[in-house]
Structures are given as C-alpha cells and as structure tokens.
Amino acid sequence: MATRGPRLVILGKQGAGKGTQCVRLSRHYLIPHISSGDMFRVELKSGSEAGERLNKFMRAGELIPDDVVIEVMAHRLGQDGTRDKGFILDGFPRTTTQAEALFDHLDTAELDMAIDLQVPTDVVLHRLASRRVCQDCGQNYGLGKIPKHDGICDRCGGEVIQREDDTTEAISRRLNLYEQQTEPLIAWYLTRDKLVTVDGLNEPDVITKRLVRAIDRRLEWGQVRE
Ligand code: AMP
C-alpha cells in the first residue's frame, strides 16, 4: 500500500485559491500543507527579532530575500520525515533561485509536479479586495463566505481581519512581482516536465475535484501506491 503521498508545488496568483485548495489536498492525500506565507506570519506574530526583519517586506508586499526564504524552507523540509511523507508547497518557490534551491535540496526526480492554478487577474483582484482572514487560525473568508458573527471566526472564535498586505497598493505590488518573478517558473517547470495546468475558475469543490483528477492522472496513482 501507500508508501508516500505526492510531493507537490502549487503556483498561482495571490487570490487564486491556493490556500483553500492546499488545505483540501493536504486532507485528501494526508500530506502536510507547507505555506511559506503562513510560516512567516507566525514568525512575525511571535514578535521575534527575525519576525521584525520580515515585517517591512511583508507589509509592503515585497518578497523576502531568497537566502532567508531558502534557509527557512530547507529547514522545514528536513523536519518530521516530510520528504518521505510527501507534501504540498504553497507560496514557495517564488523565484527561479528558490526553485533551483528546492531542486538541489530534493533532487529533480523527488518532486512529482508543479501545479499552475490559473485564474484571470480581474477575478483575483476582486477576491483579494474582499478577502478577510482569521488572525488566529488563518481561516479565509471572502466573497461567498462570511463569518456567521461579524468579525468572529466560525472555526475558532478568533478575530477576522483584512490582511495588512491586502491593501490596494500592496496587492498591485504583489501581483506585479508575481508576473515578474514567479510566472517565469511556469516555463521553468515546463522545460523540466513537471508542469500541470489546472483551470482555477469555478466553485471550490469543483476545483478540488479537478486538482485531484489532474494529480492522480499525472502520478498514475495506483502505481505509486504499490
Ligand atoms: P503569501 O501568504 O504567500 O501571499 O505570502 C505573504 C508574504 O510573505 C509575501 O508577500 C512575501 O512578503 C512573503 N513570502 C512568502 N513566501 C515567500 C517566498 N517564497 N519568497 C519571498 N517572500 C515570501
């Protein structure tokens, strides 16, 4: 039976629904969802000196320097038998330098695929402007989903806020950076025969089914499980 789950990278613009889908995929395949943004937000919240240094990049919607990101992610990938279990990486890699570092760390063959979750820019802009998030558990709210009690998370009772980097200026900076720095990764993975493209426009349940179908097909899942 299963020896390991898939090793995945998910790419897509901010607001494409990566976070929501990664949580679902993580449950479906029983693999850890490793979100670089969540890890940095935890560091920031801890009030540590390292968190303070990240603050200025994150507030402005700028990328944290590659060397810092690579060190943190290499450490995380080395924990708890992550490589053996499989994983889903969300928000990392975001630059070609980070993608190369990941390949050096894992070996090319160890990554099963990079999924490009495609959603048009006007749709993500609309979603990001209305996005709210629980500052305790990270649950996302937005267009079709609002907390039952205003400003209070349904899941944990934490405060539901607008992310500091979901301001108009920071959003447009982050989308520009995505275009300049992260979109080239799509071609980068394509030339390494790792790219799978999934249309991210529809209800979350439909997208999850599309993703699972695409992943299973690509892995020829039955064989990987033997
Ligand atoms: P996210 O939640 O993925 O949108 O990430 C929030 C912020 O964390 C980004 O705007 C960056 O400032 C920082 N960040 C997260 N992941 C990375 C990464 N791989 N490289 C550089 N900065 C990152």
Side-chain angles (χ1 to χ4, degrees), residues 177-210:
L177 276 174
Y178 184 82
E179 214 173 277
Q180 290 160 17
Q181 307 259 32
T182 311
E183 247 168 32
L185 286 185
I186 292 167
W188 194 91
Y189 281 115
L190 182 66
T191 57
R192 285 157 183 83
D193 198 23
K194 295 286 177 189
L195 190 75
V196 171
T197 301
V198 173
D199 175 3
L201 209 53
N202 211 314
E203 295 303 314
D205 286 350
V206 177
I207 309 300
T208 308
K209 282 194 189 121
R210 276 184 200 158

Short mmCIF file of all heavy atoms in Angstrom, two decimals, residues 177-210:
data_model
loop_
_atom_site.label_atom_id
_atom_site.label_comp_id
_atom_site.label_asym_id
_atom_site.label_seq_id
_atom_site.Cartn_x
_atom_site.Cartn_y
_atom_site.Cartn_z
N LEU A 177 4.88 41.57 -8.83
CA LEU A 177 6.01 40.69 -8.51
C LEU A 177 5.74 39.27 -9.00
O LEU A 177 6.64 38.57 -9.46
CB LEU A 177 6.24 40.66 -7.00
CG LEU A 177 7.09 41.79 -6.45
CD1 LEU A 177 7.12 41.74 -4.93
CD2 LEU A 177 8.52 41.68 -6.99
N TYR A 178 4.47 38.84 -8.89
CA TYR A 178 4.13 37.50 -9.36
C TYR A 178 4.44 37.39 -10.85
O TYR A 178 5.08 36.43 -11.29
CB TYR A 178 2.65 37.20 -9.09
CG TYR A 178 2.31 35.78 -9.50
CD1 TYR A 178 2.58 34.72 -8.63
CD2 TYR A 178 1.81 35.48 -10.76
CE1 TYR A 178 2.34 33.41 -9.02
CE2 TYR A 178 1.57 34.18 -11.15
CZ TYR A 178 1.83 33.15 -10.28
OH TYR A 178 1.62 31.85 -10.67
N GLU A 179 4.01 38.41 -11.58
CA GLU A 179 4.23 38.40 -13.04
C GLU A 179 5.72 38.38 -13.37
O GLU A 179 6.17 37.59 -14.20
CB GLU A 179 3.61 39.67 -13.61
CG GLU A 179 3.01 39.53 -14.97
CD GLU A 179 2.28 40.82 -15.32
OE1 GLU A 179 1.13 40.98 -14.90
OE2 GLU A 179 2.91 41.66 -15.97
N GLN A 180 6.49 39.23 -12.65
CA GLN A 180 7.92 39.34 -12.99
C GLN A 180 8.74 38.15 -12.49
O GLN A 180 9.61 37.65 -13.18
CB GLN A 180 8.51 40.59 -12.34
CG GLN A 180 8.04 41.89 -12.95
CD GLN A 180 8.26 43.03 -11.96
OE1 GLN A 180 9.02 42.93 -11.00
NE2 GLN A 180 7.58 44.14 -12.19
N GLN A 181 8.48 37.73 -11.23
CA GLN A 181 9.38 36.78 -10.58
C GLN A 181 8.86 35.35 -10.59
O GLN A 181 9.63 34.41 -10.65
CB GLN A 181 9.59 37.17 -9.11
CG GLN A 181 10.02 38.59 -8.93
CD GLN A 181 11.52 38.66 -8.68
OE1 GLN A 181 12.26 37.84 -9.19
NE2 GLN A 181 11.94 39.62 -7.90
N THR A 182 7.53 35.19 -10.45
CA THR A 182 7.02 33.83 -10.25
C THR A 182 6.50 33.22 -11.54
O THR A 182 6.67 32.02 -11.77
CB THR A 182 5.94 33.82 -9.14
OG1 THR A 182 6.45 34.52 -8.01
CG2 THR A 182 5.57 32.42 -8.71
N GLU A 183 5.91 34.06 -12.42
CA GLU A 183 5.40 33.49 -13.68
C GLU A 183 6.49 32.80 -14.49
O GLU A 183 6.22 31.75 -15.09
CB GLU A 183 4.68 34.56 -14.49
CG GLU A 183 3.19 34.23 -14.58
CD GLU A 183 2.34 35.36 -15.11
OE1 GLU A 183 2.81 36.16 -15.94
OE2 GLU A 183 1.19 35.43 -14.67
N PRO A 184 7.73 33.33 -14.51
CA PRO A 184 8.78 32.60 -15.24
C PRO A 184 8.98 31.16 -14.76
O PRO A 184 9.48 30.31 -15.49
CB PRO A 184 10.04 33.44 -14.98
CG PRO A 184 9.53 34.81 -14.68
CD PRO A 184 8.21 34.61 -13.99
N LEU A 185 8.53 30.87 -13.52
CA LEU A 185 8.68 29.50 -13.02
C LEU A 185 7.81 28.51 -13.80
O LEU A 185 8.11 27.31 -13.84
CB LEU A 185 8.24 29.43 -11.55
CG LEU A 185 9.19 30.02 -10.52
CD1 LEU A 185 8.65 29.76 -9.13
CD2 LEU A 185 10.54 29.36 -10.67
N ILE A 186 6.73 29.03 -14.39
CA ILE A 186 5.84 28.14 -15.13
C ILE A 186 6.61 27.51 -16.30
O ILE A 186 6.61 26.30 -16.49
CB ILE A 186 4.58 28.92 -15.58
CG1 ILE A 186 3.78 29.26 -14.31
CG2 ILE A 186 3.75 28.13 -16.59
CD1 ILE A 186 2.69 30.28 -14.51
N ALA A 187 7.36 28.37 -17.03
CA ALA A 187 8.17 27.85 -18.14
C ALA A 187 9.30 26.97 -17.59
O ALA A 187 9.67 25.95 -18.19
CB ALA A 187 8.75 29.02 -18.93
N TRP A 188 9.82 27.37 -16.44
CA TRP A 188 10.95 26.64 -15.82
C TRP A 188 10.54 25.20 -15.50
O TRP A 188 11.25 24.25 -15.79
CB TRP A 188 11.35 27.41 -14.54
CG TRP A 188 12.66 27.04 -13.95
CD1 TRP A 188 13.87 27.60 -14.22
CD2 TRP A 188 12.89 26.03 -12.95
NE1 TRP A 188 14.85 27.01 -13.44
CE2 TRP A 188 14.27 26.05 -12.66
CE3 TRP A 188 12.08 25.13 -12.27
CZ2 TRP A 188 14.86 25.20 -11.72
CZ3 TRP A 188 12.66 24.27 -11.35
CH2 TRP A 188 14.03 24.32 -11.09
N TYR A 189 9.34 25.03 -14.92
CA TYR A 189 8.86 23.68 -14.60
C TYR A 189 8.46 22.92 -15.87
O TYR A 189 8.62 21.71 -15.95
CB TYR A 189 7.69 23.73 -13.62
CG TYR A 189 8.14 23.96 -12.19
CD1 TYR A 189 7.80 25.11 -11.50
CD2 TYR A 189 8.92 23.02 -11.53
CE1 TYR A 189 8.21 25.32 -10.19
CE2 TYR A 189 9.36 23.22 -10.22
CZ TYR A 189 8.99 24.36 -9.56
OH TYR A 189 9.42 24.56 -8.28
N LEU A 190 7.93 23.67 -16.84
CA LEU A 190 7.52 23.04 -18.10
C LEU A 190 8.72 22.38 -18.77
O LEU A 190 8.65 21.23 -19.19
CB LEU A 190 6.88 24.09 -19.02
CG LEU A 190 6.35 23.61 -20.35
CD1 LEU A 190 5.16 22.66 -20.13
CD2 LEU A 190 5.88 24.79 -21.22
N THR A 191 9.84 23.09 -18.83
CA THR A 191 11.00 22.52 -19.51
C THR A 191 11.57 21.32 -18.73
O THR A 191 12.29 20.52 -19.28
CB THR A 191 12.13 23.56 -19.71
OG1 THR A 191 12.48 24.09 -18.44
CG2 THR A 191 11.72 24.68 -20.64
N ARG A 192 11.23 21.22 -17.47
CA ARG A 192 11.68 20.06 -16.68
C ARG A 192 10.61 18.98 -16.59
O ARG A 192 10.70 18.07 -15.76
CB ARG A 192 12.11 20.54 -15.29
CG ARG A 192 13.45 21.25 -15.35
CD ARG A 192 13.68 22.20 -14.20
NE ARG A 192 14.95 22.89 -14.39
CZ ARG A 192 15.13 23.97 -15.16
NH1 ARG A 192 14.12 24.48 -15.83
NH2 ARG A 192 16.32 24.53 -15.28
N ASP A 193 9.57 19.14 -17.40
CA ASP A 193 8.49 18.16 -17.48
C ASP A 193 7.78 17.93 -16.14
O ASP A 193 7.42 16.81 -15.79
CB ASP A 193 9.04 16.82 -18.02
CG ASP A 193 7.91 15.94 -18.52
OD1 ASP A 193 6.85 16.47 -18.86
OD2 ASP A 193 8.09 14.70 -18.52
N LYS A 194 7.60 19.03 -15.40
CA LYS A 194 6.95 18.91 -14.10
C LYS A 194 5.64 19.68 -14.03
O LYS A 194 4.98 19.68 -13.00
CB LYS A 194 7.87 19.49 -12.99
CG LYS A 194 9.16 18.75 -12.78
CD LYS A 194 8.92 17.45 -12.06
CE LYS A 194 10.21 16.67 -11.91
NZ LYS A 194 9.97 15.31 -11.42
N LEU A 195 5.27 20.38 -15.11
CA LEU A 195 4.14 21.30 -15.02
C LEU A 195 2.79 20.66 -15.34
O LEU A 195 2.66 19.93 -16.31
CB LEU A 195 4.35 22.49 -15.97
CG LEU A 195 3.33 23.61 -15.76
CD1 LEU A 195 3.65 24.39 -14.49
CD2 LEU A 195 3.27 24.55 -16.95
N VAL A 196 1.82 20.93 -14.47
CA VAL A 196 0.43 20.53 -14.71
C VAL A 196 -0.41 21.80 -14.57
O VAL A 196 -0.27 22.52 -13.59
CB VAL A 196 -0.03 19.49 -13.66
CG1 VAL A 196 -1.52 19.23 -13.76
CG2 VAL A 196 0.74 18.19 -13.82
N THR A 197 -1.27 22.09 -15.56
CA THR A 197 -2.08 23.31 -15.51
C THR A 197 -3.52 22.96 -15.17
O THR A 197 -4.07 22.03 -15.74
CB THR A 197 -2.02 24.01 -16.89
OG1 THR A 197 -0.66 24.29 -17.16
CG2 THR A 197 -2.80 25.31 -16.88
N VAL A 198 -4.10 23.69 -14.22
CA VAL A 198 -5.49 23.45 -13.83
C VAL A 198 -6.25 24.77 -13.85
O VAL A 198 -5.77 25.77 -13.31
CB VAL A 198 -5.55 22.79 -12.42
CG1 VAL A 198 -6.99 22.69 -11.92
CG2 VAL A 198 -4.92 21.41 -12.45
N ASP A 199 -7.42 24.76 -14.48
CA ASP A 199 -8.28 25.94 -14.52
C ASP A 199 -8.87 26.16 -13.12
O ASP A 199 -9.57 25.30 -12.59
CB ASP A 199 -9.39 25.67 -15.56
CG ASP A 199 -10.41 26.79 -15.61
OD1 ASP A 199 -10.25 27.80 -14.91
OD2 ASP A 199 -11.39 26.64 -16.38
N GLY A 200 -8.57 27.33 -12.53
CA GLY A 200 -8.98 27.60 -11.14
C GLY A 200 -10.27 28.39 -11.02
O GLY A 200 -10.55 28.93 -9.95
N LEU A 201 -11.03 28.45 -12.11
CA LEU A 201 -12.23 29.29 -12.10
C LEU A 201 -13.47 28.42 -11.95
O LEU A 201 -13.86 27.73 -12.90
CB LEU A 201 -12.29 30.06 -13.42
CG LEU A 201 -12.99 31.41 -13.40
CD1 LEU A 201 -12.43 32.30 -12.31
CD2 LEU A 201 -12.85 32.08 -14.75
N ASN A 202 -14.08 28.41 -10.78
CA ASN A 202 -15.33 27.70 -10.51
C ASN A 202 -15.50 27.63 -8.99
O ASN A 202 -14.71 28.20 -8.25
CB ASN A 202 -15.36 26.29 -11.12
CG ASN A 202 -16.77 25.88 -11.53
OD1 ASN A 202 -17.71 26.06 -10.76
ND2 ASN A 202 -16.93 25.35 -12.73
N GLU A 203 -16.50 26.88 -8.53
CA GLU A 203 -16.69 26.71 -7.09
C GLU A 203 -15.54 25.88 -6.52
O GLU A 203 -15.00 25.01 -7.21
CB GLU A 203 -18.01 25.95 -6.83
CG GLU A 203 -19.25 26.69 -7.24
CD GLU A 203 -19.34 28.04 -6.55
OE1 GLU A 203 -19.12 28.09 -5.33
OE2 GLU A 203 -19.59 29.04 -7.24
N PRO A 204 -15.18 26.13 -5.23
CA PRO A 204 -14.06 25.39 -4.64
C PRO A 204 -14.14 23.88 -4.77
O PRO A 204 -13.14 23.22 -5.04
CB PRO A 204 -14.11 25.82 -3.16
CG PRO A 204 -14.76 27.17 -3.18
CD PRO A 204 -15.73 27.16 -4.33
N ASP A 205 -15.36 23.30 -4.61
CA ASP A 205 -15.48 21.83 -4.71
C ASP A 205 -15.12 21.33 -6.10
O ASP A 205 -14.53 20.26 -6.26
CB ASP A 205 -16.93 21.39 -4.42
CG ASP A 205 -17.26 21.50 -2.94
OD1 ASP A 205 -16.33 21.73 -2.15
OD2 ASP A 205 -18.45 21.37 -2.60
N VAL A 206 -15.52 22.10 -7.10
CA VAL A 206 -15.24 21.71 -8.49
C VAL A 206 -13.72 21.76 -8.73
O VAL A 206 -13.13 20.86 -9.34
CB VAL A 206 -15.97 22.65 -9.49
CG1 VAL A 206 -15.63 22.30 -10.93
CG2 VAL A 206 -17.47 22.61 -9.25
N ILE A 207 -13.10 22.80 -8.20
CA ILE A 207 -11.64 22.95 -8.39
C ILE A 207 -10.90 21.80 -7.68
O ILE A 207 -9.95 21.24 -8.23
CB ILE A 207 -11.13 24.31 -7.82
CG1 ILE A 207 -11.95 25.48 -8.34
CG2 ILE A 207 -9.65 24.49 -8.13
CD1 ILE A 207 -11.96 25.65 -9.81
N THR A 208 -11.37 21.44 -6.49
CA THR A 208 -10.69 20.35 -5.77
C THR A 208 -10.75 19.07 -6.60
O THR A 208 -9.75 18.36 -6.74
CB THR A 208 -11.36 20.11 -4.39
OG1 THR A 208 -11.44 21.34 -3.70
CG2 THR A 208 -10.57 19.11 -3.56
N LYS A 209 -11.93 18.79 -7.18
CA LYS A 209 -12.07 17.57 -8.00
C LYS A 209 -11.12 17.62 -9.19
O LYS A 209 -10.48 16.63 -9.52
CB LYS A 209 -13.52 17.43 -8.49
CG LYS A 209 -14.42 16.91 -7.41
CD LYS A 209 -15.76 16.43 -7.97
CE LYS A 209 -16.71 16.14 -6.82
NZ LYS A 209 -17.95 16.91 -6.84
N ARG A 210 -11.06 18.82 -9.81
CA ARG A 210 -10.16 18.96 -10.96
C ARG A 210 -8.71 18.69 -10.55
O ARG A 210 -7.96 18.03 -11.26
CB ARG A 210 -10.21 20.41 -11.49
CG ARG A 210 -11.33 20.66 -12.43
CD ARG A 210 -11.22 22.09 -12.96
NE ARG A 210 -12.51 22.49 -13.47
CZ ARG A 210 -12.91 23.74 -13.62
NH1 ARG A 210 -12.12 24.74 -13.30
NH2 ARG A 210 -14.09 24.01 -14.10
#
